[in-house]
């Protein structure tokens, strides 16, 4: 009977997350009589029953009041996603190069605010990057462009892109429009920030916007002169 009590207490405590070392200490330290051992076991069982069990992700779940994108993480960072394109015939070596990024390049990314950085690809060479940063994609890229090691890395990766340009030059930012999860700041605060933020282009591609703007200005100048005549 005594050992049944001990086993019950032991199993209950383990189920609650207690370590075996702690249980041995509580069950046997100072328990020199049967009565003391039984009392110790019952005390452990009661303590284990009172301790909350580890909850699963679904326990206590509630619908989010705001599920739009653009909000920040609890650490105050923005989620950034962008797309890239690589030559399918060069993809194997490109992936191999990413199995051991230069340590100095890793350090530069961390220091420039590229947190939780991941890259994903398809066999056709299409790739998507994701990271979290304190401000936005353009600012994070600008900080990296100031690093000498980034210039060397981009030059080394250029041979894997269709146009032979550095991957970041051909990168296009994707707009975050939905989030469901637990790593988010206050929902109402997120909604206010997103509503107040200026509208931004859905995609970003270096050089393309500048070219479009230049053509537009030139056309406007010509039309203006014709009207004046």
């Amino acid at each position: 009977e005594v050992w049944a009590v001990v086993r019950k207490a032991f199993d209950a405590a383990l189920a609650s997350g207690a370590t075996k070392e702690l249980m041995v200490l509580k069950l046997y330290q100072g328990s020199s009589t049967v009565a003391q051992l039984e009392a110790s076991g019952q005390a452990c069982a009661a303590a284990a029953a009172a301790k909350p069990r580890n909850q699963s992700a679904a326990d206590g779940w509630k619908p989010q009041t705001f599920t739009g994108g653009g909000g920040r993480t609890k650490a105050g960072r923005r989620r950034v996603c962008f797309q890239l394109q690589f030559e399918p015939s060069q993809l194997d070596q490109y992936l191999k190069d990413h199995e051991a990024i230069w340590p100095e390049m890793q350090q530069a990314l961390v220091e420039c605010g590229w947190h939780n950085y991941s890259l994903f690809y398809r066999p056709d060479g299409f790739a998507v990057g994701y990271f979290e940063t304190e401000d936005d994609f353009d600012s994070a890229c600008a900080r990296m462009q100031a690093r000498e090691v980034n210039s060397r890395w981009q030059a080394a990766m250029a041979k894997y892109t269709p146009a032979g340009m550095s991957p970041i030059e051909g990168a296009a930012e994707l707009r975050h429009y939905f989030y469901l999860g637990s790593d988010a700041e206050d929902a109402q605060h997120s909604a206010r920030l997103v509503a107040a933020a200026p509208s931004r282009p859905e995609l970003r591609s270096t050089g393309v916007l500048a070219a479009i703007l230049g053509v537009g200005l030139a056309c406007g100048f010509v039309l203006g002169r014709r009207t004046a005549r």
Side-chain angles (χ1 to χ4, degrees):
E1 293 181 2
V2 173
W3 293 114
V5 173
V6 172
R7 181 56 185 267
K8 181 180 179 181
F10 192 82
D11 290 343
L14 286 180
S16 71
T19 64
K20 291 183 179 180
E21 291 79 8
L22 177 61
M23 282 306 305
V24 170
L25 178 64
K26 284 187 174 295
L27 286 172
Y28 295 103
Q29 188 177 38
S31 301
S32 57
T33 66
V34 172
Q36 289 174 331
L37 181 59
E38 184 175 1
S40 178
Q42 291 173 344
C44 285
K51 183 177 180 180
R53 296 175 180 270
N54 295 329
Q55 292 185 330
S56 67
D59 290 342
W61 178 85
K62 294 180 180 179
Q64 294 177 196
T65 56
F66 178 72
T67 55
R72 294 179 180 268
T73 66
K74 290 179 180 178
R77 298 169 181 162
R78 289 191 180 279
R79 298 176 180 86
V80 176
C81 187
F82 59 96
Q83 67 182 48
L84 302 159
Q85 184 65 49
F86 299 97
E87 279 289 348
S89 60
Q90 302 287 334
L91 197 56
D92 287 345
Q93 186 57 48
Y94 167 76
L95 297 176
K96 190 70 175 177
D97 288 351
H98 281 73
E99 291 179 2
I101 298 295
W102 306 336
E104 59 270 33
M105 184 63 177
Q106 296 180 38
Q107 181 179 357
L109 286 166
V110 173
E111 292 178 350
C112 290
W114 292 57
H115 307 290
N116 297 323
Y117 187 18
S118 294
L119 290 167
F120 307 84
Y121 79 98
R122 288 191 322 212
D124 63 358
F126 178 80
V128 170
Y130 170 88
F131 68 99
E132 297 164 7
T133 191
E134 286 72 17
D135 32 48
D136 54 45
F137 185 42
D138 292 334
S139 298
C141 288
R143 288 192 293 272
M144 283 300 295
Q145 288 172 358
R147 297 296 184 98
E148 183 273 337
V149 66
N150 182 66
S151 298
R152 288 192 286 118
W153 179 261
Q154 295 299 327
M157 296 297 108
K159 61 181 176 288
Y160 300 125
T161 65
M165 65 174 64
S166 71
I168 204 66
E169 287 180 328
E173 184 181 7
L174 304 177
R175 187 163 183 175
H176 185 206
Y177 65 93
F178 172 80
Y179 179 75
L180 178 65
S182 59
D183 186 17
E185 62 186 357
D186 176 71
Q188 293 183 351
H189 181 55
S190 294
R192 287 195 298 269
L193 286 178
V194 173
S199 60
R200 298 181 60 195
E202 308 300 325
L203 301 177
R204 168 193 177 274
S205 185
T206 305
V208 176
L209 294 180
I212 295 174
L213 179 60
V215 171
L217 290 175
C219 291
F221 176 74
V222 171
L223 291 174
R225 292 194 63 179
R226 287 182 177 177
T227 303
R229 289 178 182 176

